[in-house]
Amino acid sequence: MKKAYRASLLRFDAAGLPVFDEDGLLVVAPDSTGRQRVLDAGSHADVSPRHAGAHTTHLPGRILAPGFVDMHVHYPQTDIIGAPAAGLLPWLENYTFPAESKFADPAHSRVVADVFFDELLRNGVTTSLTFATSHVASVDAFFESAQRRQLRMITGKVLQDRNSPDGVRDDTEQSLVDTEALIRKWHNVDRLGYAITPRFAPTSTDAQMRGAGELAAKYGDTWIQSHVAENRDEVKWARELYPKSRSYLDVYADFGLLRERAVYAHCIYLDDTDRALMHETKTAAAVSPTSNLFLGSGFFDFGAADRLEQPYGLASDVGGGTSFSPFHTMLAAYYVGREGQTKTGLSIAPSRLWWHHTGGAARSLGLDGVVGNLQPGCEADFLVLNPSATPLLARKTSLANNLEELLFAMIVLGDDRLVERTVISQAC
């Protein structure tokens, strides 16, 4: 049965340019599996005659927009948002690893997974590439909760067999056996996907990295996720551990871990050779601006990434990141783009920020045309936004003279109150 929603409508074309209909109509219908997909979208005047029999929900004053895609987030770090630290490595030692050690307990994993998904959906995030911990229980809890909610979600067991404390350090051989078992158990089940997940090169032995690369080759439609070049101390550490590699990124290349559906968080301290390699291998960066600002890590170079056609999208990186809100992430990305002391500063268009957190992020994940947009064929994960959710937001959006001003007002002043409803492409 077709359903239609009448409101203002935001979507993106194939080039990532915004398409906005003030009086729009979004029509969804079940596919052969019962999953709701976008059947038609556009102006009400154009679309409604093609779907005269559809039951229409009228949402005056609201905006329909794609669900946000978070390219890098740690669900086990939900409880350590805002933990103070002198930088990345002390933060890991004092807060992250102690918190993650608790995920050996399946009951604790289930509780935090449910809180995590509640927060994502409240903030309008409908898909995320997510770190679990080194414990199998953390992965099972994540997938079980996502499956109940019928979400399109990706995670994987963290691989870290050295330079890690007791409680999170795993065994090399068993970690790879567990990873393959989890791939077979969960990958491509319903809307779930598996990500092979070395934490970062300094916390994995050569044997574990080699095994991860072999699994990535064997299961070519899985994802790969890790961290690279976030912090100067981390880069120095990686250089000491892998002196034969040209760069930190090349460490992953040497183990066969750069390919389509591979995503590396941060990518701050890269050079143009690294960026070109990411372009060539279709490896994407997950830009995490609130985390980078909070931990004092540095500034992602959006201009260089665009010049070298390096794929990237936006990410919250909770709990180094300070908010689940995509609006906070987009605003922080604007700040990072503007910074002009360590790189060339630029002003990123509001619609471009929005694209990099929706359709652009989906494209970087190899999910173009699946999520992150409201074009026909996409799964029907979408948001009902209320641009009058707060008094100041209502005043500012009413004064917008064009789409860019409207989007920027929501980026600057928006939070979870702006997301009136998150609609998931549930099976009928």
Side-chain angles (χ1 to χ4, degrees):
M1 177 180 175
K2 291 190 289 188
K3 299 178 183 178
Y5 301 84
R6 184 176 182 180
S8 295
L9 178 62
L10 174 67
R11 59 200 195 284
F12 296 89
D13 66 15
L17 299 176
V19 181
F20 188 72
D21 298 289
E22 287 197 23
D23 183 12
L25 193 69
L26 178 69
V27 182
V28 303
D31 62 15
S32 59
T33 68
R35 179 73 54 199
Q36 295 285 336
R37 292 184 181 272
V38 176
L39 183 64
D40 207 347
S43 71
H44 181 267
D46 290 340
V47 174
S48 60
R50 298 196 287 267
H51 307 280
H55 177 269
T56 301
T57 300
H58 193 200
L59 299 165
R62 303 302 188 262
I63 299 170
L64 305 180
F68 288 106
V69 177
D70 191 333
M71 284 191 64
H72 177 70
V73 58
H74 296 251
Y75 101 83
Q77 296 176 16
T78 298
D79 291 337
I80 61 169
I81 296 174
L88 170 64
L89 299 180
W91 182 78
L92 289 171
E93 179 181 355
N94 295 326
Y95 293 101
T96 304
F97 292 149
E100 291 191 5
S101 68
K102 298 177 182 178
F103 285 77
D105 178 4
H108 179 77
S109 298
R110 287 192 293 269
V111 168
V112 178
D114 284 339
V115 172
F116 174 78
F117 286 120
D118 286 346
E119 286 299 309
L120 286 190
L121 294 174
R122 192 164 61 83
N123 284 281
V125 177
T126 54
T127 293
S128 67
L129 177 61
T130 311
F131 266 59
T133 69
S134 56
H135 311 97
V136 170
S138 71
V139 178
D140 285 334
F142 178 96
F143 280 136
E144 287 163 3
S145 185
Q147 188 177 42
R148 283 196 305 273
R149 299 165 189 254
Q150 301 189 53
L151 300 173
R152 181 166 287 284
M153 288 287 164
I154 308 164
T155 197
K157 176 195 139 39
V158 172
L159 303 172
Q160 52 180 121
D161 64 349
R162 68 167 175 174
N163 295 325
S164 304
D166 293 344
V168 295
R169 187 177 61 255
D170 58 13
D171 173 79
T172 307
E173 183 177 355
Q174 189 61 47
S175 72
L176 299 171
V177 169
D178 290 341
T179 294
E180 185 161 25
L182 288 165
I183 292 171
R184 291 176 173 176
K185 181 178 181 179
W186 289 112
H187 186 57
N188 289 334
V189 174
D190 295 331
R191 303 179 76 198
L192 308 176
Y194 195 88
I196 297 164
T197 309
R199 182 174 212 108
F200 64 144
T203 54
S204 287
T205 60
D206 285 15
Q208 191 173 62
M209 293 284 278
R210 190 177 305 110
E214 290 168 356
L215 287 172
K218 183 175 181 179
Y219 299 96
D221 68 340
T222 58
W223 283 264
I224 302 165
Q225 60 176 347
S226 192
H227 303 81
V228 71
E230 175 181 2
N231 173 286
R232 291 188 188 276
D233 290 339
E234 171 212 6
V235 172
K236 180 182 177 182
W237 190 20
R239 185 178 297 115
E240 292 168 352
L241 291 170
Y242 293 96
K244 294 182 180 179
S245 295
R246 191 201 69 84
S247 69
Y248 188 175
L249 183 69
D250 265 355
V251 173
Y252 297 102
D254 292 342
F255 289 106
L257 292 168
L258 301 187
R259 63 158 166 80
E260 191 171 10
R261 293 195 169 192
V263 176
Y264 287 85
H266 308 299
C267 297
I268 295 172
Y269 299 102
L270 302 184
D271 59 22
D272 280 356
T273 301
D274 291 323
R275 297 183 184 100
L277 179 61
M278 294 186 77
H279 169 72
E280 292 164 9
T281 58
K282 300 182 179 179
T283 298
V287 184
S288 307
T290 70
S291 174
N292 299 152
L293 293 172
F294 176 70
L295 292 171
S297 299
F299 305 95
F300 182 81
D301 192 336
F302 287 98
D306 289 338
R307 176 169 48 82
L308 274 298
E309 299 182 6
Q310 175 189 6
Y312 66 88
L314 295 180
S316 68
D317 192 28
V318 162
T322 54
S323 176
F324 284 100
S325 173
F327 303 106
H328 291 187
T329 298
M330 289 187 286
L331 180 56
Y334 180 79
Y335 294 157
V336 168
R338 288 287 297 159
E339 189 275 333
Q341 304 304 308
T342 65
K343 58 178 179 54
T344 301
L346 71 164
S347 294
I348 305 171
S351 61
R352 204 65 189 161
L353 292 167
W354 210 290
W355 162 253
H356 282 304
H357 222 338
T358 55
R363 182 172 292 177
S364 294
L365 286 174
L367 292 173
D368 193 19
V370 180
V371 293
N373 211 338
L374 294 178
Q375 296 292 2
C378 289
E379 294 173 348
D381 292 342
F382 64 92
L383 311 178
V384 180
L385 303 178
N386 179 7
S388 299
T390 68
L392 183 58
L393 182 62
R395 181 171 179 82
K396 184 63 178 177
T397 55
S398 71
L399 297 172
N401 294 308
N402 52 52
L403 177 61
E404 296 296 340
E405 290 184 3
L406 174 64
L407 295 179
F408 202 48
M410 291 191 286
I411 288 170
V412 173
L413 298 175
D415 54 28
D416 57 289
R417 292 170 292 179
L418 177 52
V419 182
E420 185 170 277
R421 182 183 173 197
T422 301
V423 180
I424 298 300
S425 173
Q426 295 181 340
C428 298

